[in-house]
Amino acid sequence: MVNSSQISLKIRQGFILVFVLIIALPALFFSVGRAYYSSLVDATEKTLEAHLYSLISEVEFVSNGLEMPRSILAPELNRLNSDTYALVYQDSSLVWYSESAVNLSISPDFSGNQAGASEFERVEYNGVLFWQLSLTVILGNAEQSQQARFVLLKKNDALMELMSGFRNTLVNWMLVMGVVIAGLMAFGFVWNARPLQRLDKEIKEIEAGERDKITGLYPVELLTIKSDLNLLLESQKRQKERYRASLSDLAHALKTPLAVIKSSPLAKDADAQEQLDRINVMIEHQLKRAATGASDTWKKQTSVKPVLDSILNAMTKVYHDKHIQFSSECAEEVAFLGDKTDLMEILGNIIDNACKACNSLVDINVSAPKKRLLIIEVEDDGPGIPEHRRSELLTRGTRLDTYEAGHGVGMAIVSDLVKSYHGLMQIGTSKHGGAKFTIEFNHEKNN
């Protein structure tokens, strides 16, 4: 299961883009549409109010009722097949209507109307929706007054036609906005990712030993990371230098008393001589490591195949009497992220031990199944290592020189080196019946 903190920046940007295009823009479209429709309804109410007060101003009181001009100022009320209508009622009887309402037949309900109070609502007559503004007024003088009900109607279809046109325009603009937003987000991602790509490139150059520190220009958000990485590199370099200097001094200091002991009568004992040889081998190894310099091993990339070919060529000469058949597989591009001397120590000791233990066959397989992963497998057809002794063999501090021929002090060196690179070493049974050593360096996992 992928941790949320490990999700790619591209995927995160994609999620944001999908959210904007699928959720945010449609929500904006809906909200703008609702707001526009509400504004159309408000505008309709104000228009009908204007027509209403215009009608009231033109009405004339006569003894037998109300009198209004046939033609009024509002042109949409004077036009046949218009979507706006005006009607005047007295005692539920229609006494006047605009020319636009010639073919209109409705029966408004005035049961709840109060004089002087206007009502604006959506109503339905004969299956057609209207927006209706109605007002009951009392007209006349001190001697005689009459009650009249003014009704103004606007077809809802007229609003929906305007709404449909607005939505079509809005859809087009939303599509344009979607394309523009997607383009801007893509450009923004590429622009924002460039400093990270430059930083990644510089780090890889440091790993390859092509530079010692990060020197590029970066945004202020990355300056702290740049400073911390450079500080870490300097600190590691100084620490390596002190370590190698101290190790070299210690090894040189031990060589003199060791030489004296080896020339003394104590060295004539076979067991003592064996231990002295073991100590000498370890000192030589540490001196060799100290002599490799103060550079950081994680900065280096060492091609494995040339080192492997060189070791196999040497082993063929050293063990020519055994007529060992070597089988090796290693691609040209496979690389070890570390020091060449350390790789030679690891491969040299394991292959040397396999040559000592084998009968006539040694297989070496070096592979990189994926980036920053290196697997080394060495098999032989010798007697192998008992399963109950394998864990002891890989335990730090165990005396490895007490095992069968071919698995001596060199394994202590290999074990230390593999652990120093955060690698993993396992011992199994070869398909040829002997021992199988598997070493795995997963540099991606260690980051």
Side-chain angles (χ1 to χ4, degrees):
M1 185 176 180
V2 179
N3 192 297
S4 59
S5 61
Q6 294 178 303
I7 296 177
S8 166
L9 293 178
K10 292 181 180 179
I11 295 178
R12 297 183 187 196
Q13 192 78 5
F15 281 149
I16 296 174
L17 181 58
V18 168
F19 174 81
V20 170
L21 296 181
I22 296 181
I23 298 178
L25 282 182
L28 179 63
F29 175 83
F30 178 78
S31 300
V32 172
R34 293 287 297 177
Y36 181 73
Y37 184 73
S38 297
S39 68
L40 286 179
V41 173
D42 290 341
T44 299
E45 182 178 9
K46 288 180 172 56
T47 301
L48 294 181
E49 280 184 353
H51 293 334
L52 172 64
Y53 292 121
S54 176
L55 289 176
I56 293 175
S57 66
E58 294 187 24
V59 68
E60 294 182 6
F61 174 76
V62 294
S63 58
N64 59 347
L66 300 175
E67 184 176 299
M68 294 190 68
R70 193 67 252 169
S71 178
I72 56 179
L73 294 177
E76 59 264 40
L77 296 178
N78 295 326
R79 187 174 64 248
L80 290 174
N81 300 321
S82 172
D83 53 26
T84 307
Y85 315 94
L87 305 101
V88 180
Y89 291 84
Q90 276 190 308
D91 298 327
S92 300
S93 299
L94 181 63
V95 295
W96 181 89
Y97 56 85
S98 64
E99 292 186 11
S100 60
V102 171
N103 299 321
L104 186 66
S105 176
I106 62 171
S107 299
D109 181 14
F110 298 111
S111 58
N113 281 26
Q114 296 181 357
S118 63
E119 289 188 6
F120 181 73
E121 59 185 338
R122 191 171 72 168
V123 296
E124 182 178 348
Y125 298 119
N126 303 321
V128 179
L129 290 175
F130 296 89
W131 286 97
Q132 173 180 289
L133 177 67
S134 59
L135 175 66
T136 300
V137 297
I138 299 176
L139 303 173
N141 49 37
E143 298 179 357
Q144 184 178 5
S145 63
Q146 301 183 42
Q147 191 177 67
R149 296 182 178 88
F150 292 82
V151 177
L152 285 98
L153 299 169
K154 178 83 171 183
K155 274 188 176 180
N156 188 62
D157 289 346
L159 275 67
M160 296 311 296
E161 287 179 8
L162 294 174
M163 190 67 195
S164 177
F166 176 77
R167 281 177 176 169
N168 292 334
T169 304
L170 187 60
V171 166
N172 294 333
W173 277 106
M174 286 293 178
L175 290 175
V176 172
M177 287 178 60
V179 173
V180 172
I181 290 173
L184 289 176
M185 291 186 69
F187 172 77
F189 175 78
V190 173
W191 192 24
N192 291 331
R194 280 186 177 177
L196 296 176
Q197 292 171 348
R198 293 201 309 270
L199 181 62
D200 180 63
K201 182 181 178 182
E202 287 204 57
I203 291 175
K204 288 179 179 177
E205 289 174 352
I206 292 175
E207 290 178 348
E210 298 175 4
R211 63 168 65 233
D212 294 325
K213 63 179 181 179
I214 298 172
T215 58
L217 298 176
Y218 295 98
V220 292
E221 292 82 1
L222 296 179
L223 289 180
T224 302
I225 296 177
K226 173 186 173 180
S227 300
D228 290 345
L229 284 175
N230 284 333
L231 182 63
L232 177 62
L233 290 171
E234 289 295 327
S235 175
Q236 187 185 38
K237 183 178 180 179
R238 290 193 299 267
Q239 186 178 9
K240 289 279 186 179
E241 289 174 349
R242 289 195 298 268
Y243 162 74
R244 293 181 186 276
S246 300
L247 190 61
S248 179
D249 293 343
L250 177 61
H252 280 293
L254 289 174
K255 284 186 71 69
T256 300
L258 181 62
V260 174
I261 295 174
K262 289 188 69 175
S263 61
S264 69
L266 294 174
K268 294 180 181 179
D269 181 72
D271 292 336
Q273 184 64 47
E274 182 183 353
Q275 296 304 314
L276 289 172
D277 290 339
R278 181 172 183 266
I279 294 172
N280 189 57
V281 169
M282 295 299 292
I283 292 174
E284 291 292 338
H285 167 69
Q286 297 300 341
L287 276 174
K288 193 183 301 181
R289 291 197 69 193
T292 57
S295 61
D296 297 327
T297 57
W298 72 278
K299 298 179 185 178
K300 299 180 179 295
Q301 289 191 18
T302 302
S303 181
V304 177
K305 187 169 177 57
V307 176
L308 178 60
D309 291 343
S310 175
I311 292 174
L312 291 180
N313 184 49
M315 294 300 170
T316 302
K317 296 176 181 178
V318 173
Y319 296 98
H320 67 278
D321 292 337
K322 294 186 71 170
H323 303 289
I324 299 175
Q325 181 182 352
F326 292 100
S327 173
S328 65
E329 290 186 15
C330 181
E332 294 284 348
E333 65 274 9
V334 175
F336 170 67
L337 299 184
D339 189 76
K340 180 178 179 180
T341 304
D342 292 338
L343 177 63
M344 292 184 69
E345 289 285 352
I346 294 171
L347 288 176
N349 278 292
I350 290 184
I351 296 175
D352 181 53
N353 280 320
C355 290
K356 290 176 182 177
C358 76
N359 294 321
S360 61
L361 184 63
V362 175
D363 281 351
I364 304 100
N365 181 28
V366 183
S367 61
K370 62 180 182 179
K371 186 179 180 182
R372 302 178 71 84
L373 174 64
L374 177 66
I375 299 176
I376 301 171
E377 296 174 322
V378 179
E379 304 180 59
D380 61 66
D381 61 347
I385 302 174
E387 189 172 351
H388 67 281
R389 306 300 301 274
R390 294 172 185 172
S391 59
E392 283 185 62
L393 189 63
L394 300 181
T395 302
R396 187 177 183 85
T398 301
R399 285 176 54 109
L400 302 178
D401 56 326
T402 60
Y403 292 114
E404 305 263 350
H407 306 293
V409 68
M411 292 309 301
I413 298 172
V414 173
S415 180
D416 287 342
L417 284 174
V418 171
K419 288 180 180 178
S420 70
Y421 283 96
H422 305 286
L424 176 66
M425 183 165 66
Q426 295 178 319
I427 301 175
T429 302
S430 166
K431 58 181 177 290
H432 304 297
K436 177 180 179 181
F437 285 84
T438 303
I439 299 175
E440 179 181 313
F441 296 103
N442 192 344
H443 299 284
E444 189 72 39
K445 187 176 180 180
N446 295 326
N447 285 347

